[in-house]
Amino acid sequence: MSIFKGLGTVVKHLLEDPVTISYPEVERPVRERFKGKHALKRYDNGLEKCIGCALCAAACPADAIWVEAAENTDEERYSPGERYAKTYEINMLRCIFCGYCEDACPTEAIVLEHEYRLSFTDRRDSIYTKEMLIDAPPDGVPETPQKVEPGAFDRAIPDMENPK
Amino acid sequence: MGVSEKLGQLGVVTTTLEQAVNWGRTRAMWPMLFGLACCAIEMMSTQAGHYDLSRFGMELMRPSPRQSDLMIVAGRVSRKMAPVLRQLYDQMPAPKWVISMGDCASCGGVFNNYAIVQGVDEIVPVDVYVAGCPPRPEQLVHGIITLHEKVKEMYWNEWAKSE
């Protein structure tokens, strides 16, 4: 009798659908809090959130981030406040996607998003520059640097909504 | 080496044959098991039912260098492991490829210290680097597809010279 019981299990599994996800064609959605490739964010007026403080670089356990800051002027304004990130580089092969940079950022400029397809044939390609990381400005808003009214963006952190 | 070098100069016949051979190589690229750390867990789950590397002709990982074409270095390589890795690579028959899976294998990751090799490309030529700590199975599959794209563009002329 036990042989039929065993065969029953086999037949039951034969009739089941396979569990395989054919990855390149079908993608399994990642979790809400999944940490993938970084993105540098902008305010609604197109200014960059990053103020070049390099706290992310200090928090990074793998030393994957390199930030160089430069001074903002009202003629050439990249971000609110005194300084902006002139160079912002992340080595994707060093980065361990822990999200400490996200936690350290005072302006919520850097966010780890859901893109995970990161394969390189050359190690040099793994260094993502600011141009590759930064989000495009919202529709109808000019690209940075912008020319702004003097004194309009003196504070580094404008009035922000509370974190959710 | 001799035959492939001569064949490389035969023009249109070999170009088509080259494509066929390269296609064949991508369809049955047997990986060598080289799990060294946590990345190996993700490598195992890539092999298992949900992601199933058999779809790419990689039927099973085997820790036998003579029967494999692709070395997936999954995990951090310590200085003591380095000569072993090189020896296993040398034992693999050509053509052979190396995927450096994860941050530690690619460039040391967080382990920037004296004990860990800062990237396996110090020891063996790496074809594809897969970022992630550890990479998701999808990321490894994406790395394998990147490698397939690279292999499809291989030419015997260049390949023969590099040997």
Side-chain angles (χ1 to χ4, degrees):
Chain A
M1 270 290 85
S2 56
I3 187 166
F4 292 110
K5 209 175 157 188
L7 277 173
T9 312
V10 171
V11 170
K12 199 177 81 192
H13 280 94
L14 272 177
L15 298 174
E16 274 178 3
D17 284 339
V19 291
T20 309
I21 303 157
S22 328
Y23 160 65
E25 294 86 28
V26 186
E27 282 184 31
R28 192 187 216 177
V30 293
R31 296 281 175 185
E32 182 71 13
R33 290 171 61 188
F34 177 79
K35 298 188 187 102
K37 188 173 91 71
H38 313 66
L40 285 169
K41 295 290 174 189
R42 288 176 191 269
Y43 293 109
D44 290 339
N45 60 4
L47 287 181
E48 296 158 14
K49 284 190 177 179
C50 180
I51 51 170
C53 66
L55 277 176
C56 46
C60 184
D63 288 342
I65 307 181
W66 172 250
V67 187
E68 261 178 356
E71 295 280 327
N72 273 317
T73 56
D74 282 324
E75 280 72 43
E76 284 199 358
R77 183 163 286 283
Y78 290 82
S79 67
E82 283 173 28
R83 301 197 299 168
Y84 69 99
K86 197 174 87 191
T87 322
Y88 197 101
E89 287 174 354
I90 298 182
N91 186 344
M92 286 298 164
L93 285 178
R94 276 277 172 199
C95 173
I96 58 165
F97 305 95
C98 60
Y100 283 10
C101 46
E102 210 176 350
D103 293 347
C105 186
T107 58
E108 296 174 7
I110 189 154
V111 176
L112 276 76
E113 298 207 319
H114 290 176
E115 175 61 42
Y116 53 76
R117 276 161 294 212
L118 298 162
S119 305
F120 313 98
T121 46
D122 192 334
R123 236 167 102 160
R124 274 169 288 222
D125 298 340
S126 71
I127 295 169
Y128 277 52
T129 55
K130 189 180 167 189
E131 289 72 39
M132 298 156 90
L133 293 166
I134 198 154
D135 280 358
D139 286 336
V141 172
E143 177 64 74
T144 47
Q146 298 178 1
K147 190 169 164 23
V148 296
E149 292 289 313
F153 294 102
D154 279 352
R155 286 193 57 205
I157 304 177
D159 297 328
M160 288 171 68
E161 56 177 321
N162 287 323
K164 291 181 189 82
Chain B
M1 186 181 168
V3 177
S4 53
E5 204 162 49
K6 282 195 181 69
L7 280 177
Q9 287 146 8
L10 277 179
V12 70
V13 181
T14 45
T15 321
T16 321
L17 185 62
E18 225 164 39
Q19 281 168 2
V21 168
N22 285 346
W23 177 83
R25 281 173 178 170
T26 59
R27 294 298 108 179
M29 198 183 268
W30 285 52
M32 196 182 85
L33 185 80
F34 211 94
L36 293 165
C38 31
C39 279
I41 307 293
E42 295 295 313
M43 189 169 70
M44 287 172 219
S45 67
T46 317
Q47 184 69 73
H50 275 85
Y51 296 98
D52 202 11
L53 276 184
S54 308
R55 293 182 291 131
F56 302 92
M58 301 175 165
E59 292 306 324
L60 71 153
M61 303 262 178
R62 36 171 57 183
S64 151
R66 304 264 185 219
Q67 278 83 34
S68 37
D69 313 293
L70 167 67
M71 182 190 247
I72 301 180
V73 185
R76 63 194 109 85
V77 184
S78 60
R79 293 264 168 221
K80 204 160 187 175
M81 198 65 186
V84 182
L85 192 141
R86 179 70 216 195
Q87 192 181 6
L88 287 172
Y89 177 78
D90 287 339
Q91 285 174 348
M92 283 162 65
K96 52 194 169 184
W97 297 277
V98 179
I99 287 185
S100 152
M101 179 186 178
D103 284 4
C104 305
S106 300
C107 67
V110 270
F111 302 106
N112 191 357
N113 60 32
Y114 63 88
I116 303 294
V117 176
Q118 297 297 304
V120 277
D121 51 1
E122 285 181 21
I123 318 163
V124 291
V126 176
D127 291 289
V128 173
Y129 303 87
V130 181
C133 186
R136 288 167 70 85
E138 283 105 329
Q139 284 177 285
L140 179 58
V141 172
H142 182 255
I144 287 164
I145 293 165
T146 314
L147 179 67
H148 285 177
E149 296 302 317
K150 189 177 173 175
V151 171
K152 277 178 195 160
E153 284 162 20
M154 262 176 47
Y155 298 107
W156 281 356
N157 257 338
E158 295 158 25
W159 181 64
K161 273 177 216 153
S162 67
E163 279 299 298

